[in-house]
Amino acid sequence: MKINYNNKTFRVAGDNLEVTHFKYYQEGNTVWGEYQGGGVTKGTLIAKVDEKGVLQMHYHHLNANMEFKLGKCVSTPKVLDDGRIELFEAYESVNTEKVSKGEITLIEVL
């Protein structure tokens, strides 16, 4: 599945308006972006995208407690019936005393 992420905006799925928002850009197989909100003061990411649209990503951000977080993420896309992209993300923060892992879902904002 060929997906172009350039100029796409995503938000963490759910009803809460105070969630993290992401803006993605793409050139070739390289994707990068910025994100903030929902406890993140400012963050950036860089990824490589494969032929199925899966992103192998590294990220870092400064949270609301002024703590740096960095890690890696695998982001798997699904195209919804209405044409929006949903991203299922499995992440791992690596700069904490204990490695933290989790999952989130992002939904494209039109």
Side-chain angles (χ1 to χ4, degrees), residues 47-64:
K48 59 183 179 180
V49 60
D50 69 17
E51 65 281 348
K52 295 180 181 177
V54 175
L55 298 165
Q56 301 288 333
M57 181 183 306
H58 286 204
Y59 64 87
H60 67 275
H61 67 255
L62 189 61
N63 69 18

Side-chain angles (χ1 to χ4, degrees), residues 70-101:
L70 60 96
K72 57 187 178 177
C73 176
V74 176
S75 186
T76 305
K78 174 183 174 183
V79 178
L80 302 175
D81 291 340
D82 63 8
R84 292 182 300 160
I85 301 168
E86 181 180 71
L87 296 171
F88 176 76
E89 299 194 331
Y91 66 87
E92 181 177 321
S93 294
V94 297
N95 71 318
T96 54
E97 287 185 26
K98 180 182 177 191
V99 173
S100 62
K101 296 181 180 185

Side-chain angles (χ1 to χ4, degrees), residues 20-23 25 33-45 59-70:
T20 309
H21 284 78
F22 300 78
K23 181 69 174 186
Y25 303 95
E34 298 179 336
Y35 57 101
Q36 64 186 45
V40 174
T41 301
K42 191 67 154 174
T44 61
L45 60 90
Y59 64 87
H60 67 275
H61 67 255
L62 189 61
N63 69 18
N65 295 325
M66 300 305 287
E67 300 167 322
F68 286 105
K69 299 289 182 180
L70 60 96

